[in-house]
Amino acid sequence: MSLENKVAYITGGTKGIGFGIAKALVDAGLKVAISGRNLADVEKAAEELSSENVLAISSNVADYTDEEAAVATIVEKFGKLDIVIANAGVGKFGPIDQLSLEDWNAMIDTNLTGVFHTLKATVEQLKANKGYYISIASLAGTNFFAGGAGYNASKFGVVGFTQAAMLDLREYDVKTTTIMPGSVTSHFNGHQPNDADGWKIQPEDLGQMVVDLLNLNPNVLPSKIEVRPTRTK
């Protein structure tokens, strides 16, 4: 895929993995739209990216009408949409007997249903432009752990959803990949990045991975990618 004049949309693009991917794509010369629930946060992130080719959008991926509106705004601004990164996610952890309905629904609605909403809202643009859809899952989408029942369920779902979508969409020359990171330096689950995070995957590493995927020979499709830190802390 030539990256010249390509347009990308990243959900959850205000910080962490989403922001790292957005920066890598901006640096690669793409036009980039980023979204989040809080418009002020999205606008601040867009300012930090320091490019006239960045569009800030308020969208809650759990609300399909928000994602429809986001896509309409992108197409109005940039004329099309080629690349979609479904990154928005939340994590709530604890034993299953203590997991609340609210926390379960928050994870399923954002992490899983949100990924579907983002693809559903963008799929006609992706088909028209022979684009690329990437979901950000997690190693928790294949490795279960105590206290992670809701999060595991959502991320196992993302992996299965994306792989099935890959089979549906490749007949339209739409490429589809799910990236499954291990420990990443991010603001996820209230974490504040600090010097002790140096052993982890960095957001810019995942940004470079996305750029590398886009630059691969179009006959090659890494449909599922597990990525871990080289060492544990």
Side-chain angles (χ1 to χ4, degrees), residues 185-206:
T185 298
S186 73
H187 296 82
F188 183 74
N189 202 33
H191 177 72
Q192 286 297 121
N194 58 70
D195 293 341
D197 289 335
W199 64 277
K200 298 178 181 178
I201 300 165
Q202 302 303 306
E204 56 266 30
D205 299 329
L206 295 176

Side-chain angles (χ1 to χ4, degrees), residues 83-146:
I83 299 153
V84 177
I85 316 293
N87 167 72
V90 297
K92 309 287 185 179
F93 303 96
I96 188 62
D97 55 323
Q98 298 176 28
L99 183 64
S100 69
L101 290 173
E102 292 76 14
D103 286 348
W104 170 273
N105 289 331
M107 287 185 282
I108 297 300
D109 291 350
T110 299
N111 300 355
L112 182 53
T113 304
V115 166
F116 167 68
H117 286 167
T118 299
L119 180 54
K120 184 70 172 176
T122 60
V123 70
E124 294 306 321
Q125 280 292 312
L126 293 174
K127 287 163 61 177
N129 299 311
K130 297 184 178 180
Y132 207 138
Y133 177 84
I134 298 173
S135 66
I136 305 300
S138 169
L139 288 181
T142 192
N143 301 299
F144 50 84
F145 54 91

Side-chain angles (χ1 to χ4, degrees), residues 4-225:
E4 186 176 0
N5 296 319
K6 296 299 183 184
V7 178
Y9 173 40
I10 304 165
T11 66
T14 61
K15 54 190 176 182
I17 292 173
F19 185 83
I21 294 173
K23 187 176 188 308
L25 295 184
V26 168
D27 290 347
L30 282 77
K31 298 173 182 177
V32 176
I34 58 174
S35 70
R37 297 185 184 189
N38 186 298
L39 183 58
D41 291 342
V42 185
E43 289 176 337
K44 179 181 178 182
E47 289 177 6
E48 292 176 11
L49 291 169
S50 303
S51 171
E52 63 183 12
N53 289 324
V54 175
L55 175 64
I57 298 173
S58 173
S59 180
N60 176 2
V61 297
D63 185 338
Y64 179 64
T65 58
D66 273 12
E67 285 295 87
E68 279 191 310
V71 173
T73 300
I74 294 165
V75 173
E76 180 180 2
K77 171 71 174 179
F78 294 131
K80 61 173 183 171
L81 179 57
D82 304 285
I83 299 153
V84 177
I85 316 293
N87 167 72
V90 297
K92 309 287 185 179
F93 303 96
I96 188 62
D97 55 323
Q98 298 176 28
L99 183 64
S100 69
L101 290 173
E102 292 76 14
D103 286 348
W104 170 273
N105 289 331
M107 287 185 282
I108 297 300
D109 291 350
T110 299
N111 300 355
L112 182 53
T113 304
V115 166
F116 167 68
H117 286 167
T118 299
L119 180 54
K120 184 70 172 176
T122 60
V123 70
E124 294 306 321
Q125 280 292 312
L126 293 174
K127 287 163 61 177
N129 299 311
K130 297 184 178 180
Y132 207 138
Y133 177 84
I134 298 173
S135 66
I136 305 300
S138 169
L139 288 181
T142 192
N143 301 299
F144 50 84
F145 54 91
Y151 190 69
N152 285 145
S154 69
K155 292 300 185 179
F156 269 69
V158 170
V159 173
F161 167 80
T162 309
Q163 293 304 287
M166 177 269 296
L167 298 176
D168 290 338
L169 294 177
R170 62 181 177 176
E171 67 177 278
Y172 301 101
D173 293 324
V174 174
K175 299 179 77 173
T176 307
T177 297
T178 188
I179 299 175
M180 304 166 63
S183 298
V184 180
T185 298
S186 73
H187 296 82
F188 183 74
N189 202 33
H191 177 72
Q192 286 297 121
N194 58 70
D195 293 341
D197 289 335
W199 64 277
K200 298 178 181 178
I201 300 165
Q202 302 303 306
E204 56 266 30
D205 299 329
L206 295 176
Q208 183 60 55
M209 179 175 289
V210 169
V211 172
D212 290 344
L213 283 170
L214 299 176
N215 279 318
L216 280 176
N217 183 311
N219 292 330
V220 178
L221 178 59
S223 57
K224 182 169 66 173
I225 301 172

